[in-house]
């Protein structure tokens, strides 16, 4: 993690948490810094949002920032993209939204993406649980096969979560035994 703070001469001091090394970045005294962020996907937007929030914080270590977001596409959002125009009923009404990229926030409780979405004014819709699995030719797959695949997917997620928690417990135990020596 890179920590940046202003120094008394108008420059900035940068240090890293990994190495603990601090480096002075030589520059003329200035009151404002311009920061460029490449990419308007979720990470770039979150970075711009956080920098702007920090610049409005005020106080003794206030950083005056101009944040410039550079995006190659004609829209921001990265993989977050919903098409509202392609699939309409024959009379042109009742558009069916189709997600062309990331579309779900899984586990919305305590998920920072939920708060960011709500703050950005994005409508969150609870998806239905009864989703049909489609096979070739867009035909519904047999319910027994659908249930079997759903059970397999749930088992894989449960095993992945168990493995993840096990690794964290093993790491905690190793740290505790090192402190005891």
């Amino acid at each position: 993690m890179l920590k940046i703070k202003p120094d008394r001469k108008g420059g900035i001091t940068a240090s890293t948490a990994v190495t603990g090394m601090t480096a002075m970045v030589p520059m003329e005294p200035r009151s404002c810094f311009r920061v460029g962020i490449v990419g308007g996907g979720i990470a770039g937007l979150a970075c711009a949002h956080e920098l702007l929030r920090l610049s409005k914080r005020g106080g003794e270590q206030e950083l005056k920032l101009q944040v410039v977001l550079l995006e190659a596409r004609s829209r921001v959002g990265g993989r977050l993209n919903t098409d509202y125009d392609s699939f309409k009923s024959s009379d042109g009404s009742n558009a069916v939204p189709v997600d062309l990229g990331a579309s779900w926030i899984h586990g919305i409780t305590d998920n920072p993406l939920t708060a960011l979405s709500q703050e950005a004014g994005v409508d969150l819709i609870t998806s239905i649980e009864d989703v049909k699995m489609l096979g070739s030719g867009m035909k519904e797959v047999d319910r027994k096969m659908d249930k079997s695949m759903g059970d397999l997917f749930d088992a894989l997620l449960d095993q992945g979560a168990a493995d993840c928690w096990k690794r964290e417990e093993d790491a905690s135990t190793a740290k505790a035994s090192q402190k005891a020596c």
Side-chain angles (χ1 to χ4, degrees):
M1 181 171 157
L2 182 65
K3 294 181 181 179
I4 300 174
K5 63 181 183 177
D7 65 17
R8 292 185 189 120
K9 299 176 184 172
I12 59 171
T13 301
S15 63
T16 63
V18 176
T19 63
M21 296 178 61
T22 302
M24 287 296 295
V25 179
M27 58 178 56
E28 296 294 319
R30 58 196 320 191
S31 61
C32 183
F33 298 91
R34 183 174 293 157
V35 178
I37 299 169
V38 178
I42 191 74
L45 293 170
C47 180
H49 180 268
E50 183 66 7
L51 284 170
L52 290 170
R53 186 188 68 78
L54 289 172
S55 71
K56 294 176 183 173
R57 172 173 75 172
E60 186 179 305
Q61 290 190 339
E62 178 181 0
L63 285 174
K64 293 181 183 172
L65 300 173
Q66 290 180 346
V67 178
V68 177
L69 182 70
L70 304 169
E71 172 55 55
R73 298 180 187 183
S74 60
R75 61 171 186 81
V76 295
R79 290 180 291 145
L80 303 174
N81 186 20
T82 304
D83 177 358
Y84 291 96
D85 299 317
S86 295
F87 298 96
K88 295 183 180 179
S89 61
S90 58
D91 65 359
S93 64
N94 300 328
V96 176
V98 176
D99 285 309
L100 303 176
S103 57
W104 276 278
I105 299 175
H106 298 277
I108 61 171
T109 304
D110 297 326
N111 188 327
L113 291 177
T114 303
L116 282 171
S117 298
Q118 290 169 335
E119 191 175 314
V122 173
D123 292 329
L124 298 179
I125 301 167
T126 303
S127 63
I128 57 173
E129 293 293 324
D130 186 31
V131 178
K132 296 176 183 176
M133 178 187 257
L134 301 177
S136 65
M138 298 299 285
K139 293 181 182 161
E140 186 176 345
V141 171
D142 174 76
R143 286 282 184 176
K144 193 173 181 181
M145 174 61 79
D146 189 350
K147 177 159 180 14
S148 177
M149 289 296 105
D151 291 345
L152 175 62
F153 182 72
D154 289 344
L156 289 170
L157 287 177
D158 290 343
Q159 185 61 52
D163 289 350
C164 183
W165 286 112
K166 176 81 171 111
R167 273 188 242 123
E168 286 184 13
E169 289 170 3
D170 291 347
S172 295
T173 303
K175 284 183 183 177
S177 64
Q178 287 175 352
K179 289 181 181 177
C181 296

